[in-house]
Amino acid sequence: MNTPHWTTGKKIVHLDFKGAPPRMSYLQKLIPLIAHLGADGLLLEYEDMFPYEGELKVLQATDHPPYSPEEIKMIQDVAKSSGLEVIPLVQTFGHLEFVLKHRAFWELREVGFCLGTLNPHQEQSVKLLLDMVRQVLELHPDIKCLHIGADEVLHFCSIITDKGLLIVN
């Protein structure tokens, strides 16, 4: 099989581990294949599969065990040996259903009935995010960058008109 020749930019493959997370034995085969197909890196979105500790332990999946710290290291080792950069993704504004569904974090929702969006104006929201990021960084000591999501920030206080995007402050 020939490796595809891409013209420009980095090729990053997004692995989203929520829902039906792959077993380590599968990842040990998949990651080298991704490298062989021409990727430069992996964007790893753990969500409830991350082994959060302390107050954040409640975020861990309950229907199957989260990855252990040793498994997180193994993923990174396989990626490194395959020549792939690892970029963890920690969502910071939206896509936080796995956090905001827990009663302990309900008051941090932007809108009470919407469990996907965090209210960035609350001090506890910042504390929560900093703790999540800290724990992810501790288990990824060799990374060059961290993806913080935030694709939905475009919609904060903005209105799209026929004349373009209007920002309302």
Side-chain angles (χ1 to χ4, degrees):
M1 174 185 237
N2 291 334
T3 303
H5 297 282
W6 305 98
T7 55
T8 61
K10 286 188 174 185
K11 282 71 65 186
I12 306 296
V13 175
H14 179 194
L15 296 179
D16 188 342
F17 295 134
K18 73 174 174 283
R23 293 190 174 130
M24 284 299 118
S25 58
Y26 180 75
L27 287 173
Q28 289 174 318
K29 295 173 185 170
L30 178 65
I31 292 171
L33 175 63
I34 289 170
H36 177 74
L37 292 173
D40 299 304
L42 298 174
L43 180 66
L44 304 178
E45 187 170 7
Y46 297 104
E47 292 200 5
D48 62 357
M49 287 303 295
F50 191 80
Y52 288 109
E53 297 178 345
E55 292 179 12
L56 300 184
K57 191 171 182 75
V58 68
L59 303 181
Q60 293 181 8
T62 55
D63 52 344
H64 43 73
Y67 294 135
S68 69
E70 295 76 24
E71 289 171 323
I72 300 289
K73 183 178 180 338
M74 183 184 302
I75 292 169
Q76 294 173 81
D77 290 344
V78 173
K80 184 177 181 178
S81 69
S82 299
L84 296 173
E85 178 181 1
V86 169
I87 304 167
L89 167 58
V90 178
Q91 295 288 352
T92 55
F93 286 103
H95 310 291
L96 286 167
E97 292 84 359
F98 83 102
V99 175
L100 299 173
K101 69 181 181 181
H102 297 284
R103 183 175 290 277
F105 301 110
W106 282 2
E107 73 278 359
L108 301 181
R109 296 176 184 176
E110 178 72 21
V111 178
F113 63 86
C114 178
L115 59 130
T117 309
L118 185 72
N119 182 341
H121 302 290
Q122 292 197 34
E123 186 177 326
Q124 283 303 106
S125 294
V126 174
K127 181 183 178 301
L128 166 70
L129 293 176
L130 289 175
D131 198 13
M132 290 172 65
V133 167
R134 179 188 58 76
Q135 290 190 36
V136 169
L137 289 176
E138 285 176 356
L139 288 185
H140 295 84
D142 300 325
I143 62 168
K144 295 177 185 170
C145 63
L146 173 74
H147 193 308
I148 61 167
D151 57 307
E152 54 287 306
V153 173
L154 170 67
H155 303 292
F156 283 171
C157 299
S158 63
I159 303 167
I160 298 177
T161 69
D162 60 344
K163 305 237 187 269
L165 183 66
L166 171 67
I167 304 298
V168 181
N169 287 325

